[in-house]
């Protein structure tokens, strides 16, 4: 299947007073049309920065230090800001975690959607309103006519997130990056939005990167899962394989922390010892070695090799046995 998005050896750095932070360090993956890739890991693992790097939304202190990002064959790394703006929001869109931070509180929903349309094409007021109504219906918003004239503060959290998703869909982009879009919502609304996003991906053929720290959420929407730790992808493969037969000890630890994995009520969850190391001062060798029960001298001597198996890959000297799981 032809890849819509190809990320190869992506490296993103941030310059700080204390030194250079390697937020993304050699990340590679591809994404096909209609595919959902789940990116999981603890806070600070580089998930969101990977998404921001792809869409070109880095702070002034950040820069892409190396690698390639190809969207439908076109190289994005090194494009002038003006060229990136033509792509961002049209060919590739992003849905952020908190819609109240991305929606303008003093503009109506329709005004914001109309401005998003006008940024990339000439469209009449009436035509724009018709397209906005259609997209609001697609994301499951009831009474879309009245919601168009509402302001963000008049809508619930779930409704605001649907509006943010609708804006991302206005131009029928090839790729959508969803950065923890359901984290701030209650479980029932999360489930509704997940169902709606899955149906939209199937209907429109849009490729999607779903960034989250919640493995249970990712497992219900993603076809493949990439597990990130300290700026690197340590394991990637089909969702069912990664979840049922994890190979990297860090993936095993993440799965062991899920309440659903407990054999009986009241059983203590498995905890990964220690904490994520600061990206500005990573240990030598495997960054997970200080927290790993399977670590040996090889793990602290150098980076583990990338081991490829049919459909999946992982970086570990001492991987879990296939089927060992948690």
């Amino acid at each position: 299947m032809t890849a819509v998005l190809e990320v190869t050896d992506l490296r993103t750095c941030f310059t700080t007073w204390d030194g250079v932070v390697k937020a993304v360090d050699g990340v590679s993956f591809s994404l096909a049309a209609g595919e959902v890739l789940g990116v999981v890991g603890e806070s600070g693992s580089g998930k969101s920065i990977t998404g921001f790097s792809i869409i070109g939304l880095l702070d002034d202190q950040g820069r892409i230090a190396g690698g390639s990002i190809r969207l439908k064959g076109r190289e994005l790394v090194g494009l002038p800001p003006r060229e990136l703006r033509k792509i961002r929001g049209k060919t590739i869109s992003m849905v952020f975690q908190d819609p109240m931070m991305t929606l303008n509180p003093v503009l109506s929903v329709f005004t914001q959607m109309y401005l998003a349309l006008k940024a990339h094409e000439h469209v009449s007021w009436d035509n724009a309103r018709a397209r906005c109504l259609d997209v609001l219906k697609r994301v499951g918003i009831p009474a879309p006519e009245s919601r168009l004239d509402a302001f963000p503060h008049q809508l619930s959290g779930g409704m605001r997130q649907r509006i943010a998703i609708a804006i991302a869909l206005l131009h029928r982009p090839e790729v959508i990056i969803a950065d923890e879009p359901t984290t701030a919502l209650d479980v029932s609304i999360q489930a509704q939005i997940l169902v709606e996003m899955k149906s939209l991906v199937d209907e429109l053929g849009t490729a999607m990167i779903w960034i989250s720290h919640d493995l249970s959420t990712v497992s219900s929407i993603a076809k493949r899962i990439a597990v990130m730790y300290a700026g690197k992808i340590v394991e990637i493969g089909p969702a069912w394989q990664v979840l049922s037969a994890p190979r990297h000890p860090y993936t095993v630890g993440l799965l062991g922390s899920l309440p659903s994995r407990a054999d009986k009520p009241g059983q203590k969850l498995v905890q990964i010892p220690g904490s994520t190391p600061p990206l500005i001062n990573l240990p030598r060798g495997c960054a997970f070695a200080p927290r790993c029960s399977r670590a040996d001298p090889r793990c602290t001597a150098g980076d583990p090799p990338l081991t490829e198996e049919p459909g999946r890959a992982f970086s570990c000297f001492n991987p879990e046995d296939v089927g060992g799981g948690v």
Side-chain angles (χ1 to χ4, degrees), residues 208-224:
M208 183 182 298
I209 299 173
W210 189 279
I211 298 170
S212 179
H213 64 273
D214 186 347
L215 273 169
S216 59
T217 299
V218 171
S219 65
S220 66
I221 192 170
K223 294 180 181 178
R224 285 193 302 145

Side-chain angles (χ1 to χ4, degrees), residues 107-121:
L107 297 179
S108 70
V109 169
F110 174 63
T111 301
Q112 297 185 57
M113 297 182 78
Y114 179 67
L115 291 174
L117 281 172
K118 290 283 286 184
H120 295 285
E121 59 185 279

Side-chain angles (χ1 to χ4, degrees), residues 96 98-109 112-113 151-153 155-157 159-165 167:
F96 298 91
D98 186 359
M100 281 303 285
M101 298 299 292
T102 55
L103 296 177
N104 192 320
V106 299
L107 297 179
S108 70
V109 169
Q112 297 185 57
M113 297 182 78
F151 290 83
H153 71 274
L155 305 172
S156 66
M159 202 72 73
R160 288 194 292 266
Q161 194 58 280
R162 283 183 171 88
I163 296 296
I165 294 169
I167 293 175

Side-chain angles (χ1 to χ4, degrees), residues 259-290:
S260 59
R261 291 272 173 159
D263 293 330
K264 55 186 177 180
Q267 180 179 348
K268 288 187 177 181
L269 302 179
V270 179
Q271 182 178 353
I272 302 175
S275 58
T276 305
L279 295 178
I280 201 170
N281 187 28
L282 291 173
R284 185 182 178 188
C286 175
F288 187 62

